[in-house]
Amino acid sequence: MIGERDEYEIQCDLIQRIISEQQPLEIAMRDAIEVVKPGLSDESYIQLQEIDFGTVLVQSEEWIRYVLETEPPPMRVFAFWFGMFDTSDGPGDDEWQQMYISGADRFEVDDEGEWACGCYWEPNSRYPNVPELELIGKLCPFRENQAGFTLSNSLVTALAVNHAKIISEVLGFKRGLFGRRKHSEYPIACGHDAGDCVVVGYATSDGLRRPT
């Protein structure tokens, strides 16, 4: 079995590769499934391979566009956070990750994600319906190893990379009083509420700028 430290390092490498290469969701998840395969049962591996990540992407894109267009963030929102937290169907049931989006009115790249805790914008529709996250949690119980969390984290990161481009497209770069540019870019980050904060990049008028 892969050691706990090795599992964490593998997870970090996967996340950084998704970000640096701006991997499409399908490629990112196929790669992640192969990487964690040693920690999966044969049945779980087969079921994960059968997930249609193309449909996951389409449905998630519809969600993020709906949120931004029907509950647009106020001008004060400066950065966006795609977060995850543990949830379950009930006591004793397998846990899985719930994804959400929020917006903050400040951003500090070096404060270990503390900026993301001060949510200024929490839309009513902030929770997307991504049943694949629940499926991953049930096929790969978190109590057994890190495979399920690594896959969940990879899925949310790949969606954040994609959605950063949509944020740029839908919101544009608003101008404030007297036509002054209010935002030149939007920092985008993701991660678990009780874990690491990873900057995915910066949504700009030219698309997603990679973090330096």
Side-chain angles (χ1 to χ4, degrees):
M1 174 166 301
I2 302 173
E4 182 176 345
R5 177 176 172 78
D6 291 333
E7 287 185 331
Y8 178 73
E9 291 174 349
I10 288 170
Q11 180 185 140
C12 291
D13 288 344
L14 271 172
I15 298 306
Q16 288 305 318
R17 186 156 65 245
I18 292 169
I19 294 171
S20 64
E21 298 178 7
Q22 295 189 14
Q23 291 182 334
L25 181 64
E26 182 80 24
I27 293 175
M29 292 310 298
R30 297 305 171 201
D31 185 22
I33 291 170
E34 290 303 317
V35 168
V36 303
K37 184 179 179 180
L40 303 174
S41 68
D42 291 342
E43 182 179 354
S44 293
Y45 176 74
I46 292 171
Q47 290 189 56
L48 289 168
Q49 289 279 32
E50 293 174 347
I51 294 177
D52 182 358
F53 289 106
T55 298
V56 174
L57 180 60
V58 169
Q59 293 176 343
S60 189
E61 285 182 343
E62 291 175 350
W63 161 74
I64 190 64
R65 288 183 185 277
Y66 175 82
V67 174
L68 295 173
E69 291 171 357
T70 61
E71 300 181 74
M75 187 75 75
R76 184 173 167 181
V77 168
F78 184 79
F80 292 93
W81 168 250
F82 288 94
M84 299 185 297
F85 60 86
D86 302 340
T87 188
S88 68
D89 295 333
D93 291 334
D94 290 326
E95 292 185 337
W96 48 281
Q97 301 299 316
Q98 173 65 59
M99 174 184 171
Y100 69 94
I101 185 175
S102 64
D105 59 358
R106 69 184 185 90
F107 173 76
E108 298 290 341
V109 70
D110 296 323
D111 77 347
E112 299 182 350
E114 290 299 319
W115 62 269
C117 298
C119 297
Y120 184 80
W121 176 67
E122 294 182 294
N124 293 326
S125 303
R126 61 186 175 275
Y127 303 115
N129 180 24
V130 187
E132 289 75 15
L133 284 170
E134 182 175 0
L135 177 62
I136 287 171
K138 292 181 176 180
L139 290 177
C140 320
F142 299 157
R143 64 179 177 275
E144 293 183 3
N145 54 47
Q146 285 287 309
F149 184 77
T150 297
L151 290 175
S152 300
N153 204 353
S154 297
L155 178 54
V156 171
T157 302
L159 287 174
V161 168
N162 176 269
H163 294 352
K165 301 170 186 177
I166 297 177
I167 288 173
S168 174
E169 174 190 335
V170 174
L171 295 185
F173 293 85
K174 301 177 180 179
R175 293 184 179 276
L177 200 60
F178 307 117
R180 295 173 184 164
R181 185 177 293 280
K182 184 70 173 179
H183 298 300
S184 60
E185 60 185 17
Y186 294 102
I188 313 292
C190 66
H192 193 279
D193 285 1
D196 295 337
C197 168
V198 180
V199 177
V200 169
Y202 301 82
T204 74
S205 58
D206 298 320
L208 180 63
R209 177 172 70 81
R210 294 182 178 90
T212 56

